[in-house]
Amino acid sequence: MTPSVPAPSATTPSAAGPADLLITGCTALVHDEHEEIAFVEDASIVVRGGVIEAVTREARLPDAALRIDARGQVAMPGLINCHTHTPMVALRGIAEDLPAEEWFNDFIWPIESNLTERDVELGARLACAEMIRGGVTCFADHYFSMDAVAAVVSESGLRAHLGEAFFSSQGAEGREKSLEFALRQRGGAGGRITTALAPHAPYTVNAADLAATAALAREHGLPVHLHAAESRGQTDTSLARYGRTPIEILQRAGLLDNEPGLLIAHGTGIIERDLPVLAGASGPVAVATAPRGYLKFAWGPTPVRALREIGVPVGLATDGAASNNSLDVWESMALTSLVQKSTEGDPRWLTSRQALHHATLQSARAVGLGERIGSLAPGRRADIVLVDLSGPHTQPVHDLAATLVHSARSGDVTTTIVDGRVLMRDRELLTLDLPATVAELGERLPSLVDRGHGRRIQEYDT
Amino acid sequence: MTPSVPAPSATTPSAAGPADLLITGCTALVHDEHEEIAFVEDASIVVRGGVIEAVTREARLPDAALRIDARGQVAMPGLINCHTHTPMVALRGIAEDLPAEEWFNDFIWPIESNLTERDVELGARLACAEMIRGGVTCFADHYFSMDAVAAVVSESGLRAHLGEAFFSSQGAEGREKSLEFALRQRGGAGGRITTALAPHAPYTVNAADLAATAALAREHGLPVHLHAAESRGQTDTSLARYGRTPIEILQRAGLLDNEPGLLIAHGTGIIERDLPVLAGASGPVAVATAPRGYLKFAWGPTPVRALREIGVPVGLATDGAASNNSLDVWESMALTSLVQKSTEGDPRWLTSRQALHHATLQSARAVGLGERIGSLAPGRRADIVLVDLSGPHTQPVHDLAATLVHSARSGDVTTTIVDGRVLMRDRELLTLDLPATVAELGERLPSLVDRGHGRRIQEYDT
């Protein structure tokens, strides 16, 4: 194990009666005052009222309603999936080895015109099961019928940042529905739900509607979550059609100055001239990167290094499982490191500690929760996962950060905790009925995947 | 599940008394007469004498000494790690985020000068545990103190293709030792061990020694396994220094005409002019690709598409865990698909079925066992893994090949079988003592990783 590092977050637990949860004997991943990753060996974590009260090496610990002996395990902040479409797990594997245009137009958008609220609910439940199993404690979801997703968030115990997607093709109604959802669900599930306005993308939502979205966001104090500059092809098309990049379109719409924040999914088409535009944003802007899908679509990578240089956080994501085939944020962490080294031509870049910083604080900032989650520190919400490193593939440990990023896998997560509540323990899901979900979804698949009707919810034309 | 496909390999089991092993109720991955991947649902696999006797949908099945109910699981050929250095798991994570030159010269080669036979044995045992857990049934190993590895192969029950590595810096002694090992261990471990001559690489073994190796290989009917054209930088250096690429150096040495075969590790530095050279080889030549490490070192990819066009099999590999951080061949399969799509700029290329072909028949050919393993077909050795697809991350299944390559993970392997012997069942290792291995290796690490002596076994100068 890495030599013990005194943790800046280690404080003495209070003596105010029994805690709700006490995790003992773990190696805790913490951040020092420079946000560098550090590890506290033989640590205990005290949780009270859904909040981390202490990360401590003290021997005197409070009683607790629940104690978890985590010897041999690493405790780390739960992973955050900064951009996904949970219900799309129902379409995992339905359209393989295709360019994005065919994937959208011939498969996904025809099939999505069949989606019912029940399909969305079942897909979201399956997705939440997958994410809890993979150590994800919070996800940003951008889809339709989001009330069904919100209900599953409530049931599953996960934390989520939800937005009801809309296209300009829906007229003003789509935007109004997105606003109504965001206002009504904000603060739901005991505060675990935050919300955003969710225009689909600059290529499906026109400039006037983006500007109207920015005005609504300002009026109601809502962040915005959308796709933009997904690929270099989109940027080229945008330049040819409008003389502006997608990022410049967001700027003109006022979305870069949204005080509650803007979350941009993908950004692999962000180019040099976009950097000063992003750097000049007066609101907090972040980018979510989902590297597996970019490789699969033969898109380039998100320009993580350039974004770092201008101070834009890059959170980790999986996109939907219909393109990415999984909601494995652990894999996104490893691939972000690997792909960035490769595309920058620099093996020293994007170290394991940098990857862990993306997975923790940068991802928390991306979903607007930079002060509440993303770190095992007193006062933060108790979103914690325990990772078993006793498997042969994670031994020996010369460099714990490298072990976590490059050797461990999502399947090594044994325990997933959100707001101090245990959602999975010893790999057993405690809040969701997986077999019933898989069975009912299986019955619904034939009508869900039917494309005989010839309808599409939208046309992909970047 | 994918619609049932009649399997060309499905034959009626013989009635010759009880079988040794009967696997029932699985979906079996088979190859049709064009080597296309097909799936037989509700299949049974009959094993007798270490050999697959039948893959069948018949209801009448023989009695068997051992029956495994594999309902809900996929049976597929065990994965083959076509190039690794098993003992290097002891150095997993010791030298991170470095270019290859520093990785070799400042860490790996100084540390390897400390290696004892006991370290090699413990590392190999830990590696075999990892590979059995990850569904690997055969590996090609290229290292030192290979008698210790051979002993672990015998103990573990795995199949292996072993070579004792040598440099020209060792003089003739290295080559003689490699030959002596290859002749003595050939056919060991009940036939599960095959052997190769193992010169390190054209940049560490000179032309005369490579030619002498080719002559020994011819004389003794031995294949050759080496590193070559590992990176584009090596090829450029070779051209500058000798006016020849590493592949052309192998040709001049006679190694491309070695009738028992030549296995080239990596080949990311294979360039256009090498292709006719490889195409003109009179012996069977194959390349092992280990894509994770190439990303990490910021090397380019193995030119899989160009090699396919000239009929050179490309097997999957992990290299050693000191650079790759894992021996996860499942990940190599997924990354080969993803990286190839990305670098070729073609999402239609390297489909999941192609990836499975690399993982099965091409990998078997790469290690010289193309007629014995790599397919669930009558007469092949019974090297079989069972994969559980009931996890949320592998549901639903619209395209079973995609589920296997892009959604499943090595941790979904529940059962690993070699020569009909069960090495892992329900994720429990049956042949190796993992905790004892980890404990003893841990005690030895401080002296193993000491670099204070200033020695190196070799200098990296491409």
Side-chain angles (χ1 to χ4, degrees):
Chain A
M1 290 272 167
T2 300
S4 163
V5 177
S9 56
T11 62
T12 308
S14 91
D20 297 323
L21 172 65
L22 184 60
I23 299 168
T24 59
C26 64
T27 299
L29 184 160
V30 299
H31 299 80
D32 74 11
E33 66 275 30
H34 307 294
E35 297 194 1
E36 298 286 333
I37 304 293
F39 295 100
V40 186
E41 288 198 49
D42 198 18
S44 296
I45 302 174
V46 184
V47 176
R48 211 183 294 261
V51 170
I52 296 170
E53 185 175 277
V55 178
T56 178
R57 301 193 64 195
E58 291 232 351
R60 284 180 50 185
L61 295 164
D63 289 337
L66 177 64
R67 288 178 72 109
I68 296 178
D69 177 352
R71 276 174 294 181
Q73 298 196 70
V74 173
M76 58 183 274
L79 296 172
I80 299 163
N81 191 345
C82 295
H83 176 76
T84 187
H85 315 285
T86 56
M88 294 184 86
V89 296
L91 309 182
R92 189 198 312 270
I94 197 76
E96 290 292 304
D97 306 312
L98 293 172
E101 309 80 62
E102 285 178 50
W103 181 85
F104 270 125
N105 285 331
D106 298 346
F107 289 88
I108 300 307
W109 281 346
I111 289 170
E112 283 184 339
S113 75
N114 300 330
L115 270 175
T116 67
E117 187 129 338
R118 185 68 177 165
D119 296 322
V120 167
E121 177 192 332
L122 291 165
R125 192 175 289 123
L126 179 58
C128 287
E130 178 179 358
M131 290 193 286
I132 293 170
R133 282 272 297 260
V136 174
T137 54
C138 177
F139 63 100
D141 203 344
H142 188 287
Y143 209 61
F144 314 102
S145 302
M146 290 297 291
D147 280 318
V149 177
V152 173
V153 170
S154 186
E155 168 195 0
S156 68
L158 284 170
R159 188 181 308 285
H161 184 61
L162 306 180
E164 178 85 24
F166 65 93
F167 303 107
S168 279
S169 60
Q170 296 168 285
E173 199 189 325
R175 186 171 67 244
E176 283 157 18
K177 199 171 163 196
S178 190
L179 175 63
E180 190 275 327
F181 171 85
L183 295 177
R184 182 165 44 76
Q185 292 283 0
R186 176 157 63 174
R192 299 196 314 276
I193 292 179
T194 52
T195 57
L197 295 176
H200 178 263
Y203 64 90
T204 48
V205 179
N206 63 35
D209 287 342
L210 290 173
T213 304
L216 287 175
R218 192 163 50 242
E219 180 183 346
H220 297 284
L222 284 166
V224 176
H225 176 189
L226 48 56
H227 306 84
E230 295 178 293
S231 67
R232 182 57 191 258
Q234 284 182 11
T235 300
D236 292 343
T237 302
S238 180
L239 281 166
R241 198 171 287 170
Y242 310 112
R244 280 187 279 280
T245 68
I247 298 300
E248 289 165 343
I249 288 172
L250 300 182
Q251 180 194 34
R252 279 175 68 96
L255 286 164
L256 300 188
D257 302 319
N258 189 42
E259 197 267 318
L262 176 69
L263 173 55
I264 297 171
H266 311 316
T268 80
I270 291 173
I271 60 177
E272 192 71 25
R273 66 188 259 184
D274 292 324
L275 299 174
V277 179
L278 289 167
S282 72
V285 175
V287 174
T289 191
R292 170 183 250 282
Y294 312 154
L295 294 169
K296 202 154 172 247
F297 278 145
W299 290 353
T302 306
V304 175
R305 193 170 206 159
L307 291 169
R308 179 190 166 96
E309 281 162 9
I310 58 169
V312 171
V314 176
L316 304 181
T318 66
D319 209 355
S323 56
N324 198 74
N325 299 71
S326 95
L327 305 181
D328 186 341
V329 178
W330 207 288
E331 183 188 56
S332 300
M333 175 167 68
L335 280 177
T336 295
S337 174
L338 294 171
V339 169
Q340 287 293 315
K341 287 173 183 293
S342 170
T343 54
E344 296 289 343
D346 183 1
R348 299 181 205 276
W349 162 246
L350 229 147
T351 65
S352 298
R353 281 159 196 270
Q354 284 176 273
L356 288 165
H357 192 264
H358 284 286
T360 56
L361 286 172
Q362 288 187 60
S363 290
R365 286 173 190 140
V367 298
L369 296 168
E371 303 304 314
R372 304 189 73 209
I373 61 174
S375 183
L376 301 187
R380 302 247 168 182
R381 304 305 303 180
D383 293 6
I384 305 166
V385 298
L386 301 179
V387 187
D388 175 18
L389 299 184
S390 67
H393 59 295
T394 45
Q395 289 294 326
V397 178
H398 290 292
D399 174 340
L400 183 50
T403 300
L404 289 170
V405 174
H406 291 297
S407 299
R409 299 289 186 264
S410 56
D412 295 317
V413 174
T414 64
T415 302
T416 301
I417 298 164
V418 174
D419 262 4
R421 180 182 176 202
V422 182
L423 310 187
M424 178 176 77
R425 181 145 186 202
D426 298 335
R427 297 194 170 87
E428 188 193 348
L429 295 171
L430 302 178
T431 57
L432 297 172
D433 184 343
L434 177 62
T437 306
V438 170
E440 186 180 346
L441 185 61
E443 287 165 18
R444 301 177 68 91
L445 286 179
S447 52
L448 176 61
V449 304
D450 174 46
R451 294 180 290 141
H453 48 67
R455 291 189 309 273
R456 284 179 194 149
I457 54 159
Q458 182 70 29
E459 181 86 19
Y460 185 85
D461 178 30
T462 56
Chain B
M1 289 276 168
T2 301
S4 160
V5 177
S9 56
T11 61
T12 309
S14 90
D20 295 323
L21 171 65
L22 184 59
I23 300 168
T24 59
C26 64
T27 298
L29 185 160
V30 299
H31 299 79
D32 73 10
E33 66 274 30
H34 306 294
E35 296 193 5
E36 297 287 330
I37 303 293
F39 295 100
V40 186
E41 290 198 48
D42 199 17
S44 296
I45 302 174
V46 184
V47 176
R48 211 183 293 259
V51 170
I52 295 171
E53 183 175 279
V55 179
T56 178
R57 302 193 64 196
E58 291 231 352
R60 284 179 52 184
L61 294 164
D63 288 337
L66 177 63
R67 287 178 73 109
I68 296 179
D69 178 351
R71 275 175 294 179
Q73 298 196 70
V74 172
M76 57 184 274
L79 295 172
I80 299 162
N81 191 345
C82 295
H83 177 75
T84 187
H85 314 284
T86 56
M88 294 185 85
V89 296
L91 309 182
R92 190 197 312 269
I94 197 76
E96 290 292 305
D97 307 312
L98 293 173
E101 309 80 63
E102 284 180 49
W103 180 86
F104 269 125
N105 284 333
D106 297 347
F107 289 87
I108 300 307
W109 282 346
I111 290 171
E112 284 186 337
S113 74
N114 300 328
L115 271 174
T116 67
E117 187 130 339
R118 185 69 177 165
D119 297 322
V120 167
E121 177 193 333
L122 290 165
R125 192 176 288 123
L126 179 58
C128 288
E130 178 178 358
M131 290 193 286
I132 293 169
R133 283 272 297 261
V136 174
T137 53
C138 177
F139 64 99
D141 204 343
H142 188 287
Y143 210 60
F144 313 102
S145 303
M146 289 297 291
D147 280 317
V149 177
V152 173
V153 170
S154 185
E155 168 195 1
S156 69
L158 284 170
R159 187 181 307 284
H161 184 61
L162 306 180
E164 178 86 24
F166 65 93
F167 303 107
S168 279
S169 60
Q170 295 167 288
E173 197 191 325
R175 186 172 65 244
E176 285 157 16
K177 198 171 165 198
S178 189
L179 174 65
E180 190 276 326
F181 171 85
L183 295 176
R184 182 166 42 77
Q185 291 284 359
R186 176 157 63 174
R192 299 196 313 277
I193 292 178
T194 52
T195 56
L197 295 176
H200 178 261
Y203 64 90
T204 48
V205 179
N206 63 34
D209 287 341
L210 290 173
T213 304
L216 288 175
R218 195 166 46 245
E219 179 184 347
H220 296 283
L222 284 166
V224 176
H225 177 189
L226 48 57
H227 305 85
E230 295 179 294
S231 67
R232 181 58 191 258
Q234 284 183 9
T235 300
D236 292 344
T237 302
S238 180
L239 281 166
R241 197 171 287 170
Y242 309 113
R244 280 187 280 279
T245 69
I247 298 300
E248 289 165 344
I249 289 172
L250 299 183
Q251 180 194 36
R252 279 176 69 96
L255 286 165
L256 299 188
D257 302 318
N258 188 41
E259 197 267 320
L262 176 69
L263 173 55
I264 297 171
H266 310 318
T268 82
I270 291 174
I271 60 176
E272 193 70 25
R273 68 187 256 185
D274 291 324
L275 299 174
V277 178
L278 289 166
S282 71
V285 174
V287 174
T289 191
R292 171 182 250 283
Y294 311 152
L295 294 169
K296 202 153 174 250
F297 277 145
W299 289 354
T302 306
V304 175
R305 194 169 204 158
L307 292 169
R308 179 191 167 94
E309 281 162 9
I310 58 170
V312 172
V314 176
L316 303 181
T318 65
D319 209 353
S323 56
N324 198 73
N325 299 72
S326 95
L327 304 181
D328 186 342
V329 178
W330 207 289
E331 184 189 55
S332 300
M333 175 168 67
L335 280 177
T336 295
S337 174
L338 294 171
V339 169
Q340 286 294 316
K341 287 172 183 293
S342 171
T343 54
E344 296 288 344
D346 183 359
R348 299 180 205 275
W349 163 244
L350 228 147
T351 65
S352 297
R353 281 160 196 269
Q354 285 177 271
L356 288 166
H357 192 265
H358 284 287
T360 55
L361 286 171
Q362 288 186 60
S363 290
R365 286 174 190 139
V367 298
L369 296 168
E371 303 303 315
R372 303 189 72 209
I373 60 173
S375 184
L376 301 187
R380 302 247 168 183
R381 304 303 305 178
D383 293 6
I384 305 166
V385 298
L386 300 179
V387 187
D388 176 17
L389 299 184
S390 68
H393 59 295
T394 44
Q395 288 294 323
V397 178
H398 289 293
D399 174 340
L400 183 49
T403 301
L404 289 170
V405 174
H406 291 297
S407 299
R409 298 289 186 263
S410 56
D412 296 317
V413 174
T414 64
T415 302
T416 301
I417 298 164
V418 174
D419 263 2
R421 179 183 177 201
V422 182
L423 310 186
M424 177 175 78
R425 180 140 187 209
D426 298 336
R427 297 193 170 86
E428 187 193 349
L429 295 171
L430 302 178
T431 56
L432 297 172
D433 185 342
L434 177 60
T437 305
V438 170
E440 186 179 345
L441 184 62
E443 288 164 18
R444 300 177 69 90
L445 286 179
S447 53
L448 176 60
V449 304
D450 173 47
R451 295 180 288 141
H453 48 69
R455 292 189 309 273
R456 282 179 195 149
I457 54 159
Q458 182 69 30
E459 181 87 18
Y460 185 85
D461 179 28
T462 58

